[in-house]
Amino acid sequence: MKKLTSVFLCILLLTVSFASCAAQPFSETTDADTVTNEVTVPEETLDPNYVMDPDTAAKADQYKDQKLTVLLNSDFWAASDFFREEDSENPVDSAIFNRNLAICERYGLTFEYVVEAGVPNILKTAFKSGISDYDIAAFCAFQACPLATENLFLDLTQVENLNLNKHYWDQGLYDGLSIDNKLFYITGDISTLANAGTFLMLFNKKLAADYDLENLYQVVRDGRWTLDYLNSLLKEHGYVDDGNAKVDVYDRYGMGIQREAYLAFYFGAGGRMMGHLPNIPLDG
């Protein structure tokens, strides 16, 4: 089986065109005189970090008549942001649909999307059987990491026409997931799910007023919002029994979280999943 090119990315999809239009001069004529005042708006300057390299764009012919098969996860953060079956009034859905359409027209290739549950097991089975049905896979990073250690993926730093220094690839992940200058999976602007999974912390303003708490927004602005501060609030106001002397769903709790919230606290405190140990050679 040919090794998968990547996880969370499609090389060809990064070639979406960026264009800007210079504004037309605005003319204003008064009745008192016929003087025309022209306001010239300078042409927008594109950020080179978000523009495809010219030499990559010039290689469109090499993909003509090829089919790119993308394996997408249907369970646990389904990779639904890679394609849409039809255009839509929803701006995000429409952008995804038209992005893919533009790529197919520009490069003369076709996409095939395979949506399945249990992508890691599918990939391992295909790899062991020598099946080369998939070019790219998009699924959860937690599931991708173990597969990278089993040599299923290509080193993305060695993939032709892939410039990982462009900022449409997440530069924090590029740095954090690279080991010995090798990288096996990444995400970026190609996936909206990275933003859809942003951690948020909300608070009940009425309860804050009832408990006469200080302005929590100002606490954040002052740099005093810490885990210790949060813990002090929970100790003082964290639990109120409904009167039946039992801990149940009718009680008032100071905080409710999902199980992955520990990641937000860990990263928020500056923690990292991995890093290079000083003075220890990677090959030994």
Side-chain angles (χ1 to χ4, degrees), residues 30 37 40 96 112 118 146 193 223 233 264 271:
T30 66
N37 298 317
T40 303
I96 294 172
E112 179 184 25
L193 287 179
L233 293 182

Short mmCIF file of all heavy atoms in Angstrom, two decimals, residues 30 37 40 96 112 118 146 193 223 233 264 271:
data_model
loop_
_atom_site.label_atom_id
_atom_site.label_comp_id
_atom_site.label_asym_id
_atom_site.label_seq_id
_atom_site.Cartn_x
_atom_site.Cartn_y
_atom_site.Cartn_z
N THR A 30 -20.66 68.04 -8.11
CA THR A 30 -21.64 68.90 -7.45
C THR A 30 -22.33 69.79 -8.47
O THR A 30 -21.85 69.99 -9.59
CB THR A 30 -20.94 69.79 -6.40
OG1 THR A 30 -20.06 70.68 -7.10
CG2 THR A 30 -20.16 68.96 -5.41
N ASN A 37 -13.87 64.92 -7.98
CA ASN A 37 -12.90 64.51 -6.95
C ASN A 37 -12.75 63.00 -6.99
O ASN A 37 -13.72 62.28 -6.81
CB ASN A 37 -13.39 64.94 -5.56
CG ASN A 37 -13.53 66.44 -5.44
OD1 ASN A 37 -12.66 67.17 -5.91
ND2 ASN A 37 -14.64 66.91 -4.84
N THR A 40 -8.64 57.50 -4.71
CA THR A 40 -7.99 56.28 -5.17
C THR A 40 -7.71 55.37 -3.98
O THR A 40 -7.05 55.77 -3.02
CB THR A 40 -6.67 56.60 -5.89
OG1 THR A 40 -6.96 57.47 -6.98
CG2 THR A 40 -6.02 55.32 -6.40
N ILE A 96 -16.65 25.67 0.77
CA ILE A 96 -16.06 24.33 0.65
C ILE A 96 -16.41 23.72 -0.69
O ILE A 96 -15.55 23.16 -1.40
CB ILE A 96 -16.55 23.44 1.81
CG1 ILE A 96 -16.00 23.96 3.14
CG2 ILE A 96 -16.13 21.99 1.58
CD1 ILE A 96 -16.58 23.26 4.35
N GLU A 112 -12.55 11.60 -4.89
CA GLU A 112 -13.45 10.55 -4.42
C GLU A 112 -13.40 10.56 -2.90
O GLU A 112 -12.33 10.46 -2.31
CB GLU A 112 -13.04 9.17 -4.94
CG GLU A 112 -13.95 8.06 -4.44
CD GLU A 112 -13.48 6.68 -4.86
OE1 GLU A 112 -12.27 6.52 -5.10
OE2 GLU A 112 -14.32 5.78 -4.93
N GLY A 118 -14.38 4.28 12.17
CA GLY A 118 -13.23 3.44 12.49
C GLY A 118 -12.09 3.57 11.50
O GLY A 118 -11.49 2.57 11.08
N PRO A 146 -0.83 7.34 17.10
CA PRO A 146 -0.31 5.96 17.16
C PRO A 146 0.00 5.39 15.78
O PRO A 146 0.96 4.62 15.62
CB PRO A 146 -1.45 5.17 17.83
CG PRO A 146 -2.24 6.20 18.56
CD PRO A 146 -2.17 7.44 17.73
N LEU A 193 -12.91 22.44 11.41
CA LEU A 193 -13.14 21.78 12.69
C LEU A 193 -12.13 22.21 13.75
O LEU A 193 -12.42 22.15 14.95
CB LEU A 193 -13.06 20.26 12.51
CG LEU A 193 -14.25 19.62 11.79
CD1 LEU A 193 -14.04 18.12 11.66
CD2 LEU A 193 -15.55 19.90 12.54
N GLY A 223 -5.07 40.19 34.34
CA GLY A 223 -4.14 39.06 34.40
C GLY A 223 -4.23 38.26 35.67
O GLY A 223 -3.32 37.51 36.02
N LEU A 233 -13.06 30.40 43.78
CA LEU A 233 -14.49 30.62 43.56
C LEU A 233 -15.28 29.34 43.79
O LEU A 233 -16.36 29.36 44.39
CB LEU A 233 -14.73 31.12 42.14
CG LEU A 233 -14.22 32.52 41.78
CD1 LEU A 233 -14.60 32.85 40.34
CD2 LEU A 233 -14.77 33.57 42.73
N ALA A 264 -7.63 21.87 27.75
CA ALA A 264 -7.63 23.33 27.72
C ALA A 264 -6.85 23.89 28.91
O ALA A 264 -6.07 24.84 28.76
CB ALA A 264 -9.07 23.85 27.73
N GLY A 271 1.49 23.97 29.10
CA GLY A 271 1.95 22.61 28.91
C GLY A 271 2.00 22.21 27.44
O GLY A 271 1.28 22.75 26.62
#
